[in-house]
Amino acid sequence: QVQLVESGGGLVQAGGSLRLSCAASGLTFRNYAMGWFRQAPGKEREFVARISWKGDMLYYGVSVKGRFTISRDNAKNIAYLQMNSLKPEDTAVYYCAADHRVLVTGEYDYWGQGTQVTVSL
C-alpha cells in the first residue's frame, strides 16, 4: 500500500521559513517524480513544485519561484519543500504527490493527506 505522509506544517509569521517533508512508502521512490501542490480555502489546487526522480530537473510555480526549494533524498524516501520568505498568501494545505511518468503531464499517481501551513502577518 502506497503512503505519502506530509509533515512540517504549522503557523509561522510572514517572512519566516518552514520545511515540509513527504515520507513515501510502498513504492520504489527513486522511480517517481515528486510534486508539491497547495490548496487554500475557496481556491483551486495550485502547483507549487516538482522534482524529477533523479533530482536534476526542478519546476516551480510562478508564485513561489525564488522563495521555495524542492529536493529529495532517495536513500531516505523523502521529498522536501523548503519555504522561505513566507507570505500570508502562502497559507494553504500543502500536498505531496508521486508521478511515475518521465514527461510532465500534470497527472500524479499518488497523493498525501496534506499538511496545513498558516502564515500570519
Side-chain angles (χ1 to χ4, degrees):
Q1 181 182 0
V2 174
Q3 280 194 311
L4 301 178
V5 180
E6 301 95 337
S7 62
L11 174 64
V12 64
Q13 284 191 325
S17 299
L18 281 175
R19 188 176 79 158
L20 304 183
S21 299
C22 173
S25 61
L27 54 70
T28 305
F29 184 71
R30 64 180 180 274
N31 289 348
Y32 286 78
M34 297 298 295
W36 286 95
F37 292 78
R38 66 187 184 186
Q39 188 164 21
K43 294 189 176 181
E44 292 189 354
R45 187 173 64 199
E46 177 187 8
F47 168 75
V48 174
R50 175 186 171 101
I51 185 168
S52 60
W53 67 270
K54 201 175 175 182
D56 57 343
M57 298 182 71
L58 310 178
Y59 306 86
Y60 294 96
V62 172
S63 60
V64 306
K65 198 168 186 178
R67 300 187 297 122
F68 290 12
T69 302
I70 189 171
S71 62
R72 65 189 296 157
D73 186 334
N74 285 347
K76 295 182 179 179
N77 289 2
I78 299 178
Y80 301 98
L81 185 68
Q82 177 66 44
M83 306 187 295
N84 298 331
S85 303
L86 282 161
K87 306 174 182 180
E89 51 264 43
D90 294 319
T91 296
V93 177
Y94 283 71
Y95 300 90
C96 69
D99 177 16
H100 77 278
R101 301 161 189 82
V102 174
L103 296 178
V104 179
T105 65
E107 296 183 30
Y108 286 77
D109 304 289
Y110 304 105
W111 292 83
Q113 293 299 306
T115 185
Q116 176 71 46
V117 171
T118 302
V119 184
S120 64
L121 286 168

